[in-house]
Amino acid sequence: MTINPGEVKKLDNLLSSLFGMTNVGGAMHVTTTAATPLVITGRTFNQTSNGTFGQFIPAVTAADAVGKTDRALQILQAEDSVRYRTNVGIAE
């Protein structure tokens, strides 16, 4: 896929529309042929009769990653209760 400078691409239902996959989830890896200032975001959501509710997911780079012997990461404001749920995504 080519994205020109200043262009915005909106890809709805990406796994289904681009890859023909349904009822699946996972991490999407985006690469460029050269160092490029590219902004990638995503949103996962549930469709209800009252609209959608979901979560905005910012993209990260390899510089944001940590390994087994690297610094610890903190997960702030995580909660598991009848009122709130926290989702944590980990990709290897």
Side-chain angles (χ1 to χ4, degrees):
M1 173 180 300
T2 300
I3 301 174
N4 296 312
E7 183 179 6
V8 174
K9 291 250 185 189
K10 177 183 171 191
L11 304 171
D12 291 328
N13 300 317
L14 183 65
L15 292 177
S16 175
S17 65
L18 195 59
F19 299 106
M21 303 168 73
T22 59
N23 296 318
V24 296
M28 176 68 62
H29 294 263
V30 177
T31 61
T32 60
T33 56
T36 305
L38 186 63
V39 177
I40 304 289
T41 63
R43 181 173 181 254
T44 183
F45 62 91
N46 289 331
Q47 183 75 47
T48 71
S49 59
N50 295 323
T52 64
F53 65 94
Q55 177 181 6
F56 168 80
I57 304 167
V60 296
T61 67
D64 300 314
V66 294
K68 184 177 180 180
T69 60
D70 291 338
R71 71 191 190 284
L73 295 179
Q74 306 296 321
I75 301 175
L76 304 175
Q77 301 175 346
E79 182 179 337
D80 181 18
S81 71
V82 296
R83 298 177 342 175
Y84 192 80
R85 181 184 76 209
T86 300
N87 296 323
V88 177
I90 299 172
E92 180 179 15

